[in-house]
Amino acid sequence: MKYRRIPDETIQRLPMYLRAFSLLEGEKELTVCSRQLAVRLGLNPHQIRKDLSYFGNFGRPGVGYPVQTTARRIRHILKLDKTQKTALVGAGRLGTALVAYPGFSSFNLEIAAVFDSDPKKIGKKIGHLTIESAARLAGLKKRNIHLAILAVPADAAQSVTDKLIKAGVRGLLNFSPGRLKVPASVKKIDIDLASQLSILPYYL
Amino acid sequence: MKYRRIPDETIQRLPMYLRAFSLLEGEKELTVCSRQLAVRLGLNPHQIRKDLSYFGNFGRPGVGYPVQTTARRIRHILKLDKTQKTALVGAGRLGTALVAYPGFSSFNLEIAAVFDSDPKKIGKKIGHLTIESAARLAGLKKRNIHLAILAVPADAAQSVTDKLIKAGVRGLLNFSPGRLKVPASVKKIDIDLASQLSILPYYL
């Protein structure tokens, strides 16, 4: 329960720290100080020290953070020290690209099931996964899948979300534009590609 | 210059407001009050009034915001009242999905050119676009393209970014993980898909 007090902004930076520590692990570095990390990540060293201090005192003044221990610790905090299975709903172009996305595995994330409502897609393969009927979403709990990626058209997003939550999903990465209602017990992260791109012209 | 003082957080919410006002336009609504908008968007009405107040006094107490005028105004502020052409670099699965992504056109955003460094891809079609050699990036300025989407592998990201900036690109939507260095005159928005997904298990 104590983790609940950590600001979301800190949690959001942890994957970036984990990526840096994992790289340092690969480079066989034993320790790294917050100043070196700050240069790598383009952050303020004070920010880094503050973020990492939420999880106990990993670092030693004048020595820095032990690379392996800290990487392991962050992995543990983010629950990425075991494979986290994710369902993907929506086997369109974006969904298909996500199944093949190479970046997930380095975080121990695995897309373990793909669903679509289009009868023409059901039964076909994406990579090593067979597209399943959306009617089978109810079975997610039994398969121990509690995370889902939503890559369906906007008009289907809320009803699919409701089904996912009924099936025990408690974390949702949502690519559908518009507002999705989820209970407070479900963590939802929205990635609205068009909104993000539409901000750029303002700065021209 | 006065726009520079608007907080980035407000700018980031404008596409959401624009989407809501565009929908209301389609529904032939004449006015909408901040309270109704708040319900649609799941935001605080005070927040909405504050955000929209940065751009002058659109709304009238007791009447609300005139739908058409406000939509037009936000479009103008975001420079989305004309088509904004974007280059896409990286014709992999993610890049291909982005070219076909249906959400961009409603914001007047158009992927107008696709580049890749793989000789096997150059000359092939994605939708109505022909994949061009990355060597042709230098011509973007002449083609009046100042925005780019980066969907290349991490190890190519910085060198492609440098080329894009040299070619006059001033807004960048970056899907490559890791840190990209850009000058202060360039606006960069990072979408790190793996980092976003990796946050969810923490909340399980």
Side-chain angles (χ1 to χ4, degrees), chain A residues 3 8 11 15 19 39-40 42 77-79 93 100 103 170 177 179 189 192 194 196 198 201-204, chain B residues 3 8 11 15 19 39-40 42 77-79 93 100 103 170 177 179 187 189 192 194 196 198 201-204:
Chain A
Y3 286 166
D8 271 2
I11 297 298
R19 187 177 274 139
V39 171
R40 272 191 183 240
I77 289 161
L78 289 174
K79 300 191 188 122
R93 284 195 183 85
R170 274 143 53 211
R179 193 190 166 209
I189 295 178
D192 186 341
Q196 294 293 310
S198 73
Y202 172 80
Y203 295 93
L204 286 179
Chain B
Y3 285 165
D8 271 3
I11 297 297
R19 188 179 275 138
V39 172
R40 273 192 183 240
I77 290 161
L78 289 175
K79 300 192 187 121
R93 283 194 183 86
R170 275 143 51 214
R179 192 191 167 207
K187 175 71 180 177
I189 296 178
D192 186 340
Q196 294 294 311
S198 73
Y202 172 80
Y203 295 93
L204 286 179

Side-chain angles (χ1 to χ4, degrees), chain B:
Chain B
M1 287 311 284
K2 63 174 176 165
Y3 285 165
R4 293 295 153 192
R5 268 175 263 139
I6 300 167
D8 271 3
E9 290 70 27
T10 295
I11 297 297
Q12 276 160 25
R13 283 187 288 269
L14 287 186
M16 187 169 55
Y17 297 140
L18 177 54
R19 188 179 275 138
F21 276 100
S22 297
L23 280 173
L24 288 163
E25 249 184 329
E27 293 162 12
K28 310 278 180 214
E29 293 289 340
L30 296 178
T31 58
V32 65
C33 69
S34 55
R35 209 138 31 92
Q36 294 166 308
L37 274 176
V39 172
R40 273 192 183 240
L41 299 172
L43 287 178
N44 186 315
H46 174 72
Q47 173 86 80
I48 294 175
R49 284 195 296 272
K50 199 179 159 196
D51 282 341
L52 294 178
S53 73
Y54 277 104
F55 310 100
N57 185 19
F58 305 153
R60 279 198 293 156
V63 180
Y65 298 93
V67 167
Q68 216 175 17
T69 314
T70 311
R72 204 183 302 145
R73 191 90 176 251
I74 302 176
R75 249 177 236 123
H76 181 71
I77 290 161
L78 289 175
K79 300 192 187 121
L80 298 172
D81 44 5
K82 56 171 187 174
T83 301
Q84 290 284 358
K85 290 193 215 169
T86 303
L88 171 81
V89 191
R93 283 194 183 86
L94 181 60
T96 304
L98 292 171
V99 171
Y101 189 69
F104 294 139
S105 62
S106 65
F107 283 113
N108 256 336
L109 299 161
E110 183 202 350
I111 296 180
V114 182
F115 300 90
D116 204 287
S117 61
D118 180 352
K120 276 178 282 181
K121 288 185 182 165
I122 295 162
K124 293 213 170 133
K125 289 247 174 190
I126 302 187
H128 67 287
L129 295 170
T130 303
I131 301 172
E132 305 178 48
S133 159
R136 294 191 47 167
L137 286 174
L140 284 176
K141 198 178 280 180
K142 272 188 198 152
R143 293 159 78 174
N144 208 22
I145 299 179
H146 304 289
L147 303 174
I149 301 173
L150 204 61
V152 300
D155 56 1
Q158 187 65 57
S159 74
V160 170
T161 300
D162 296 345
K163 276 179 203 155
L164 285 168
I165 291 168
K166 228 173 163 178
V169 163
R170 275 143 51 214
L172 205 58
L173 189 67
N174 170 42
F175 287 91
S176 299
R179 192 191 167 207
L180 282 187
K181 283 178 201 156
V182 299
S185 58
V186 172
K187 175 71 180 177
K188 173 173 69 79
I189 296 178
D190 296 308
I191 300 185
D192 186 340
L193 300 172
S195 284
Q196 294 294 311
L197 184 61
S198 73
I199 293 163
L200 290 178
Y202 172 80
Y203 295 93
L204 286 179

